[in-house]
Amino acid sequence: MKLLGISGSLSDRSKTFLAVEKAIQFAEEQFFETKQAIKEKLNTDKYDQTIETEIVNLKDYDLQFCDGRNPLDYEGDTKKLIKKIIEADAFIVGSPVYRGSMSGALKNVFDLIPNNCLEGKVIGFIATGGTYHHFLAIEHQLHPLAGYFSAHVVPGGVYAHNEHYDNQGLISDEILERLRVLSYSVIDLHHRLYDSHTIAKKPYIPRKSLSATKS
């Protein structure tokens, strides 16, 4: 299982990155416990997997803006990130909330990737903000976007704000526990869907520029 964490913040010391990093740590700690529990529940030995994790911090990537080209035609950091996303099995994705929505940097990532590269995969979402005001951004902004890509979303998500942090990092026991549950749920759902990523098929939507059309 390849679990990719993505922090959609460009800040030097990011609340979002700290939350995604902690969730990935929890996933590493809980993976084998989760796998064994699923094997016992389903009475099967087919989940003979290991876990490979990585965190993508968007501030470390020099990404091109999406310009509508074939996703496989990008170069440099953009090409590397698209490849990581295509190859991953599950995701923990975090974003700061700006103006009631996800960061522009994270939205650009979703614009860059192939339409089918998240199909049937599992995503857990994290959002961060200054106050509680934007906690519904996960439901209103991130879940619909995952639905477009036909991904399986862990219900809920985790929202953390300024009062949950100090200069040392995350200090809220409540948020830490919710991150632990989120990471467990991502792994659990991935195991349950293993080899059976059943989804309702949607129409094929090709990318086509105006230069490729007839006037």
Side-chain angles (χ1 to χ4, degrees):
M1 175 186 182
K2 292 184 178 180
L3 176 61
L4 186 66
I6 301 176
S7 171
S9 173
L10 302 183
S11 300
D12 286 335
R13 181 151 175 82
S14 165
K15 295 190 295 291
T16 303
F17 177 80
L18 293 173
V20 171
E21 180 181 49
K22 181 58 67 174
I24 293 294
Q25 290 174 357
F26 282 136
E28 293 171 341
E29 295 168 2
Q30 297 177 117
F31 177 78
F32 294 104
E33 171 191 343
T34 312
K35 181 175 73 170
Q36 187 59 35
I38 294 297
K39 288 171 69 173
E40 291 175 359
K41 287 178 184 177
L42 301 184
N43 191 28
T44 179
D45 291 323
K46 75 176 183 176
Y47 301 109
D48 187 20
Q49 297 185 37
T50 58
I51 188 168
E52 176 184 335
T53 65
E54 183 177 357
I55 302 177
V56 167
N57 192 358
L58 293 189
K59 79 179 243 4
D60 297 330
Y61 284 70
D62 182 17
L63 297 182
Q64 297 168 268
F65 284 111
C66 177
D67 58 14
R69 78 183 80 169
N70 186 319
L72 302 183
D73 290 340
Y74 288 96
E75 298 294 337
D77 281 358
T78 308
K79 181 175 184 177
K80 288 196 300 185
L81 179 55
I82 291 173
K83 184 173 185 290
K84 289 178 188 293
I85 293 173
I86 291 173
E87 294 178 349
D89 300 305
F91 305 85
I92 293 176
V93 178
S95 177
V97 179
Y98 299 140
R99 309 299 189 265
S101 186
M102 74 192 80
S103 69
L106 182 61
K107 178 58 167 64
N108 185 51
V109 171
F110 282 105
D111 290 341
L112 287 166
I113 60 179
N115 289 337
N116 64 349
C117 75
L118 302 182
E119 193 172 280
K121 298 180 180 180
V122 178
I123 303 178
F125 284 119
I126 297 168
T128 61
T131 69
Y132 266 120
H133 285 92
H134 296 302
F135 74 97
L136 286 176
I138 294 175
E139 299 292 336
H140 294 165
Q141 301 295 322
L142 296 172
H143 282 201
L145 191 56
Y148 169 82
F149 285 99
S150 298
H152 296 286
V153 180
V154 171
V158 178
Y159 180 81
H161 62 79
N162 288 350
E163 293 180 9
H164 297 135
Y165 296 81
D166 66 11
N167 290 334
Q168 305 303 313
L170 263 169
I171 59 171
S172 169
D173 290 338
E174 176 193 357
I175 297 300
L176 289 169
E177 174 61 15
R178 291 184 63 197
L179 289 171
R180 186 194 67 78
V181 172
L182 180 74
S183 63
Y184 184 98
S185 300
V186 168
I187 297 170
D188 180 86
L189 185 55
H190 168 76
H191 283 325
R192 291 175 185 274
L193 295 170
Y194 185 68
D195 276 347
S196 61
H197 288 180
T198 303
I199 61 170
K201 289 296 183 182
K202 62 184 180 184
Y204 171 66
I205 305 173
R207 293 181 183 240
K208 183 186 293 186
S209 65
L210 288 177
S211 61
T213 63
K214 295 182 178 179
S215 57

